[in-house]
Amino acid sequence: LTEIDFGENELGDEGAKYIGDVLKVNTTLKSILLYHNEIGDAGVSYIAEALKLNNTLNCIDFWRNDIGTDGGVQIAEALKVN
């Protein structure tokens, strides 16, 4: 499995926490689509932490979520590490 589409599933911040846990140990997934899932800054923080460890993922789609400036900064900081 190299791509997965979780778009429009209303995962929210709780679902993003589980996504983050999986991404920390992922070695095959290259693309994850998380568009329109009501993920906010709290949820994206879990994914940002995972991105610091994940060297496989090269595409992530956050379109139409509730991520604000704080969440954007968290993702940017994670990408600096990876």
Side-chain angles (χ1 to χ4, degrees), residues 54-75:
N54 184 302
N55 293 317
T56 308
L57 196 67
N58 61 30
C59 178
I60 190 164
D61 181 349
F62 285 120
W63 182 65
R64 292 196 66 182
N65 279 286
D66 300 323
I67 301 166
T69 302
D70 290 341
V73 168
Q74 290 177 63
I75 292 293

Side-chain angles (χ1 to χ4, degrees), residues 11-68:
L11 297 174
D13 291 338
E14 187 66 24
K17 179 180 179 186
Y18 293 108
I19 297 290
D21 288 343
V22 170
L23 291 178
K24 285 180 183 176
V25 296
N26 167 63
T27 59
T28 59
L29 193 63
K30 295 181 181 202
S31 176
I32 186 166
L33 306 177
L34 295 170
Y35 58 90
H36 205 220
N37 267 297
E38 301 175 9
I39 298 171
D41 290 343
V44 86
S45 68
Y46 299 114
I47 295 171
E49 286 303 310
L51 291 178
K52 292 177 183 177
L53 304 172
N54 184 302
N55 293 317
T56 308
L57 196 67
N58 61 30
C59 178
I60 190 164
D61 181 349
F62 285 120
W63 182 65
R64 292 196 66 182
N65 279 286
D66 300 323
I67 301 166

Side-chain angles (χ1 to χ4, degrees), residues 71-82:
V73 168
Q74 290 177 63
I75 292 293
E77 291 298 319
L79 293 176
K80 285 181 185 179
V81 174
N82 187 337

